[in-house]
Amino acid sequence: MKRKIIHVDMDAFYAAVEQRDNPELQGKPVVIGGRAKSRGVVSTASYEARKFGIRSAMPLIEAYHRCPQAIFLPPNLVKYRWVSQQIMEIFSEFTPLVEAISLDEAFLDVTGTERLFGEAVVIAKRIKKRIKDELNLTCSIGIAPNKFLAKLASDLEKPDGLVVITEDDIQSKVWPLPVGKVWGVGYKTAQRLEEFNIKTIGDLAGTHVDLLARILGNWGLEAHKLANGIDNRPVLPEREAHSIGHEMTFDVDISDKEILTRILLELSQNVGFRLRRAGLKGRTIVLKLRFADFKTITRNHTRLEETNFDDVIFEESLNLFQSNYSGQESLRLIGVTVTGLVKENEVSKQFTLFSDNDDKFEELYKTLDQINIKYGKNTIIRASLLNDEK
Amino acid sequence: MKIITTKENLLYGIQTVQKAISTKNTIPILSGILLKAKDNRLFFSATDLEIGIQCSVPVQTLSEGEVVLPARYFSELVRKLPETKITLEYIPENIEVKINYGDAEVNLKGWPGEEFPVIPELEGDYSFEIQPILLKNMIKQTIFAVSIDDTRPIFTGALFHIEEDILNLVTTDTHRLAWRKAKINLLNENKYDLNLIIPSKTLNELARIIKEDEPILVKGDQNQISFQTNETRIISRLIEGKFPNYKQVIPNNYNGLIRVKTKTLQSTLERASLFVNEKDGTSIVKLVIKDQTLNISSKSDVGKVDENIPIFFEGQEIEISFNAKYLLDVLKIIEEEDLIINLTGSLSPAILQTANHDNFIYLILPLRTSA
């Protein structure tokens, strides 16, 4: 049976949520990411800001130069997560097969639900209406026989779009698109492909797999299938989280250990906060380093006991950092992840001699988290992180 | 250097020093064993600069001298030699050793002996003697409780707390603590109150290689300690740091006393810990003590165990949970028939002792279970 896959992509999600909640922002260029001239990158730009050429992942400073009158805001992930949850709940009313790939994006497998809710297009329209009515937000939806095509479809008529791609449309709707639209084809890969005169998805589909294997390695075969509209990956419903992590890509490569240590602390705090919010603890701390030449290493350490304390996550990741980073090559990305997760209330507490009292820490974190949720992220932060906020 | 010896003697020497051979590749010569022939004895030495082991065997010395041989090749070779008269001769111009057995000959390259680091003779701020059987037992009865987590290095070693002529050997991984006392024979008049933290590897090696009956001479300073008998010497660095006050954590008052057959409790716990929690590998046992019965139960996704053991009990009804491993580790090394468990509360330490001895004491902290 042919599958019916829906891809929902919220329009300028973070910015849209901020504009929705603050009338003063409506109709204005809004950039989510951080202060105008700070080091970060744009996380989301409102459609008004996009008119100035501001895009996701662009350095904030560049965004500022393009549109100095834009309103720059730090992301309020706690809020976005909450809205995201409401959106996901709407999806789950139509099918149990919902795979959230980020806060603002999800796949739904609605194969065989026609009798219950109507054709996929009808479901899509109902989803759009409910998100508009209940949450006052818009989204773009793609419908196709597989995930790859559904995601392409949702991107075709943004914002507030609804596009159906069937197998018969592949030649007309998919093949003219640039290769960069294929999952996993980034800027560099696209450049390599262009050297072989492969510019569109159609070019990719028409290229012999042997040549693609030579250009792209093992991945060539996969890319060739995708280009021909073949993608058998199932929609995997939200599993229980196996890991919680944060990573940061720098706009300028960094080799300063002091700065990197501070970033590690910030990442550890974010991870700890999310673990505690999710009621989870983990035993394995994973550090990810990507060097300037894109070489990426991950190193991990497994503890005897689970934790969700920022301090412990930081201490562990700092140990891994110190024993795996010489400071000679600069880094373009650093990430901290905690895996081996268990529910906090399922962890038995082994009492300990000669140690600081864990219970005190638990109380401390609980209080800090409450304040930061109530008054906004970073209401209380470590003194060592204050430098960033000047 | 030229000696005549046997496979058995060579093997004994190699096996005694082998754990001190460096496994890191930073200093190549430390991956070797120093052989030194002197006064009709062959001395074996190995060190990774943390621990050094030396021993000697009787040989027939034709000429004295020394050489370092790569441990891996030398020990593999010796293991495969026939049981016959073996001649070892150092050829300095090739820096190699010629090994003859029967009419066969093997040449193995090495390093000049004088390049090997000297394993120092410690003068010693302290020195005492202890019976080898006793020290071996003390190690066996405590070493299991050392920490394997090196975030706090002091707990990866064992504390030698020497008060006058009493040696307190204490280990802890912060979840349980083992404390064994014994009398030692002081060799000088100093007033002793010493705290030395000895790496667990050193003590494991000591327990493994000491075979003689004569007393072990222990001496050293605040950085290093040595244990020696006529034939064998181990020298080790000490772990830096201050061991916390272990006496303070032993409760003074108890409100429950259990007397139970050691073996009965052990078998029950072994069954109860069969169904370990897949996630973290620990098995938690719940003990409910009521009237003259100890109920032990455990459950996991795999299944559950529930058993009752008759005990002698004095005190108030109590419910307490432990990591089964911590109890079993103690039970496995207790040879006495009867075990005494003193309890102070569901969330407070339990103290395990045997009925007839007060020279060792085990403290185990409970778990607070999730529901």
Side-chain angles (χ1 to χ4, degrees):
Chain A
M1 183 166 61
K2 276 220 184 76
R3 294 188 297 159
K4 291 259 195 305
I5 309 297
I6 292 180
H7 179 252
V8 187
D9 193 3
M10 299 303 297
D11 298 325
F13 183 53
Y14 297 177
V17 172
E18 297 294 350
Q19 285 177 320
R20 178 192 75 173
D21 294 351
N22 183 351
E24 283 178 24
L25 301 178
Q26 282 162 19
K28 292 187 184 151
V30 174
V31 175
I32 311 293
R35 277 158 214 275
K37 289 174 214 168
S38 62
R39 266 189 69 102
V41 293
V42 175
S43 153
T44 311
S46 72
Y47 283 91
E48 296 83 356
R50 291 183 194 193
K51 285 184 193 140
F52 293 88
I54 298 174
R55 297 279 176 271
S56 295
M58 176 182 283
L60 285 168
I61 187 84
E62 192 186 332
Y64 175 76
H65 286 312
R66 283 176 189 251
C67 181
Q69 73 272 30
I71 297 151
F72 290 82
L73 293 172
N76 182 350
L77 287 170
V78 178
K79 191 203 265 178
Y80 310 149
R81 216 164 272 136
W82 167 238
V83 180
S84 174
Q85 236 171 51
Q86 294 174 301
I87 297 168
M88 298 301 163
E89 268 162 33
I90 294 176
F91 297 159
S92 64
E93 286 177 34
F94 293 94
T95 169
L97 296 177
V98 177
E99 177 180 346
I101 43 180
S102 64
L103 290 183
D104 59 348
E105 236 183 293
F107 285 109
L108 284 67
D109 186 338
V110 295
T111 314
T113 57
E114 291 93 338
R115 259 197 229 157
L116 220 49
F117 300 109
E119 288 295 324
V121 184
V122 179
I123 295 176
K125 282 181 181 158
R126 286 172 67 178
I127 287 174
K128 283 175 74 86
K129 185 167 174 349
R130 287 195 56 183
I131 290 178
K132 183 71 200 163
D133 293 350
E134 293 169 30
L135 301 170
N136 196 18
L137 292 169
T138 64
C139 62
S140 296
I141 291 185
I143 302 170
N146 62 47
K147 287 165 103 174
F148 169 63
L149 294 175
K151 192 174 159 75
L152 278 183
S154 70
D155 196 41
L156 287 179
E157 286 177 17
K158 269 185 146 312
D160 206 12
L162 172 55
V163 176
V164 181
I165 294 183
T166 65
E167 278 168 350
D168 300 332
D169 299 331
I170 292 174
Q171 219 164 329
S172 60
K173 288 187 182 167
V174 177
W175 282 3
L177 298 172
V179 278
K181 294 273 179 191
V182 176
W183 250 345
V185 176
Y187 174 70
K188 287 213 164 167
T189 313
Q191 267 188 331
R192 287 223 55 197
L193 287 169
E194 195 159 335
E195 286 169 25
F196 292 87
N197 216 17
I198 303 168
K199 291 175 187 156
T200 63
I201 297 183
D203 295 340
L204 188 64
T207 307
H208 198 277
V209 279
D210 290 347
L211 176 60
L212 284 181
R214 243 180 299 144
I215 309 173
L216 302 174
N218 289 336
W219 196 71
L221 185 61
E222 201 58 39
H224 186 258
K225 275 191 186 163
L226 290 179
N228 281 290
I230 302 165
D231 176 13
N232 293 322
R233 286 169 304 174
V235 171
L236 297 170
E238 176 92 50
R239 301 137 292 181
E240 275 183 39
H242 289 294
S243 68
I244 283 185
H246 268 267
E247 51 187 49
M248 194 185 278
T249 307
F250 318 130
D251 13 315
V252 183
D253 296 347
I254 303 178
S255 62
D256 183 327
K257 282 191 176 178
E258 206 178 303
I259 295 175
L260 290 165
T261 303
R262 223 162 59 212
I263 293 169
L264 269 184
L265 176 57
E266 208 179 321
L267 293 171
S268 304
Q269 272 188 355
N270 287 338
V271 173
F273 178 75
R274 279 183 58 201
L275 282 168
R276 293 190 298 277
R277 291 298 290 163
L280 297 168
K281 285 184 167 193
R283 285 179 76 185
T284 304
I285 284 83
V286 187
L287 175 76
K288 177 170 167 187
L289 302 177
R290 178 167 295 148
F291 296 92
D293 60 358
F294 278 91
K295 187 185 80 187
T296 308
I297 60 166
T298 58
R299 294 289 180 271
N300 66 75
H301 181 246
T302 299
R303 295 168 44 79
L304 294 174
E305 276 168 45
E306 294 84 2
T307 189
N308 58 15
F309 293 165
D310 304 351
D311 299 73
V312 180
I313 298 167
F314 174 59
E315 192 183 308
E316 294 279 357
S317 51
L318 186 61
N319 274 340
L320 289 167
F321 177 69
Q322 280 167 343
S323 46
N324 288 290
Y325 183 65
S326 64
Q328 282 167 351
E329 290 170 85
S330 50
L331 293 176
R332 55 177 297 124
L333 174 149
I334 190 164
V336 175
T337 300
V338 174
T339 69
L341 302 184
V342 289
K343 292 201 181 79
E344 206 168 10
N345 56 13
E346 282 174 11
V347 177
S348 302
K349 168 125 187 61
Q350 168 70 56
F351 292 96
T352 305
L353 296 166
F354 317 121
S355 312
D356 301 325
N357 198 340
D358 275 6
D359 291 341
K360 272 194 219 153
F361 273 100
E362 236 155 68
E363 284 303 313
L364 172 69
Y365 281 116
K366 209 181 272 174
T367 312
L368 286 179
D369 289 349
Q370 276 165 2
I371 293 170
N372 284 333
I373 290 166
K374 191 164 175 190
Y375 298 103
K377 200 180 164 218
N378 295 346
T379 302
I380 298 188
I381 60 169
R382 267 156 235 273
S384 56
L385 291 178
L386 279 172
N387 287 355
D388 277 357
E389 304 292 316
K390 293 194 274 251
Chain B
M1 179 187 90
K2 186 171 185 182
I3 54 157
I4 299 171
T5 183
T6 61
K7 172 179 177 174
E8 191 192 352
N9 275 339
L10 288 177
L11 212 49
Y12 170 82
I14 292 166
Q15 281 168 353
T16 302
V17 303
Q18 68 185 6
K19 287 281 166 63
I21 296 159
S22 175
T23 49
K24 298 182 195 110
N25 295 322
T26 39
I27 309 173
I29 199 169
L30 295 184
S31 66
I33 298 174
L34 172 69
L35 302 177
K36 185 173 186 170
K38 203 182 172 201
D39 304 331
N40 281 325
R41 289 195 82 81
L42 181 64
F43 292 86
F44 295 76
S45 306
T47 181
D48 61 5
L49 303 180
E50 299 268 304
I51 181 173
I53 306 179
Q54 226 165 33
C55 72
S56 68
V57 294
V59 292
Q60 190 187 337
T61 305
L62 303 177
S63 75
E64 298 189 338
E66 58 184 354
V67 63
V68 181
L69 289 180
R72 212 180 91 216
Y73 296 113
F74 184 49
S75 73
E76 283 302 311
L77 173 69
V78 169
R79 261 175 252 276
K80 291 182 166 57
L81 287 179
E83 308 279 350
T84 176
K85 192 175 86 173
I86 295 163
T87 314
L88 242 88
E89 187 185 356
Y90 178 45
I91 315 288
E93 46 272 29
N94 301 337
I95 320 177
E96 66 180 23
V97 165
K98 195 169 82 181
I99 302 162
N100 291 90
Y101 46 96
D103 60 356
E105 180 180 306
V106 168
N107 293 278
L108 178 59
K109 295 231 182 278
W111 295 272
E114 57 276 13
E115 288 179 13
F116 200 78
V118 177
I119 299 178
E121 280 290 344
L122 297 181
E123 274 315 314
D125 309 341
Y126 47 86
S127 65
F128 61 86
E129 279 183 345
I130 185 164
Q131 292 305 317
I133 303 285
L134 176 60
L135 184 56
K136 268 181 138 172
N137 274 333
M138 292 177 79
I139 295 170
K140 194 182 101 186
Q141 289 163 348
T142 52
I143 202 77
F144 61 85
V146 296
S147 173
I148 51 169
D149 178 6
D150 29 67
T151 47
R152 293 178 81 185
I154 48 168
F155 296 132
T156 63
L159 173 71
F160 270 32
H161 177 209
I162 302 155
E163 294 174 296
E164 301 297 329
D165 62 347
I166 299 293
L167 167 63
N168 297 283
L169 208 170
V170 184
T171 58
T172 181
D173 62 5
T174 76
H175 301 317
R176 41 115 169 235
L177 179 142
W179 174 10
R180 174 72 156 92
K181 281 188 264 194
K183 220 170 134 49
I184 51 174
N185 182 20
L186 299 178
L187 296 178
N188 53 28
E189 299 285 295
N190 293 346
K191 285 275 181 204
Y192 282 94
D193 187 9
L194 279 171
N195 285 284
L196 311 166
I197 308 172
I198 298 159
S200 59
K201 179 183 173 183
T202 304
L203 295 180
N204 276 321
E205 280 310 286
L206 192 62
R208 186 178 70 87
I209 61 188
I210 301 271
K211 294 195 175 76
E212 301 132 273
D213 297 329
E214 76 221 71
I216 298 171
L217 170 65
V218 185
K219 58 180 185 177
D221 51 33
Q222 291 300 319
N223 300 314
Q224 286 180 306
I225 191 166
S226 80
F227 301 88
Q228 68 184 83
T229 60
N230 276 346
E231 289 182 359
T232 315
R233 189 160 77 97
I234 298 184
I235 181 163
S236 164
R237 70 166 179 103
L238 295 169
I239 296 174
E240 269 178 66
K242 192 176 179 322
F243 208 87
N245 185 345
Y246 60 95
K247 291 182 181 175
Q248 207 176 288
V249 299
I250 310 286
N252 296 317
N253 304 303
Y254 304 108
N255 50 25
L257 183 149
I258 300 168
R259 194 187 179 103
V260 60
K261 295 284 173 217
T262 312
K263 290 296 156 220
T264 313
L265 181 59
Q266 187 181 344
S267 336
T268 299
L269 284 169
E270 276 168 357
R271 285 187 289 271
S273 61
L274 279 178
F275 304 148
V276 291
N277 183 339
E278 291 289 335
K279 266 191 190 134
D280 56 7
T282 59
S283 63
I284 295 167
V285 288
K286 187 166 93 179
L287 281 62
V288 181
I289 304 116
K290 196 177 167 183
D291 303 324
Q292 299 300 307
T293 305
L294 167 60
N295 173 266
I296 294 182
S297 62
S298 71
K299 63 170 194 283
S300 73
D301 297 341
V302 186
K304 60 179 184 178
V305 174
D306 195 305
E307 293 196 20
N308 289 309
I309 309 176
I311 52 166
F312 168 82
F313 179 59
E314 244 178 37
Q316 285 178 350
E317 188 181 322
I318 191 170
E319 207 181 290
I320 188 166
S321 296
F322 293 104
N323 181 337
K325 180 186 180 340
Y326 296 161
L327 288 169
L328 277 170
D329 281 347
V330 175
L331 294 169
K332 277 180 201 156
I333 48 100
I334 284 182
E335 283 155 8
E336 319 283 322
E337 206 186 324
D338 287 334
L339 176 75
I340 307 283
I341 304 175
N342 282 299
L343 297 171
T344 46
S346 288
L347 306 177
S348 317
I351 300 294
L352 280 67
Q353 280 178 297
T354 60
N356 305 320
H357 291 284
D358 63 352
N359 59 10
F360 55 83
I361 190 167
Y362 297 99
L363 175 150
I364 301 178
L365 287 178
L367 285 150
R368 182 173 59 211
T369 53
S370 45

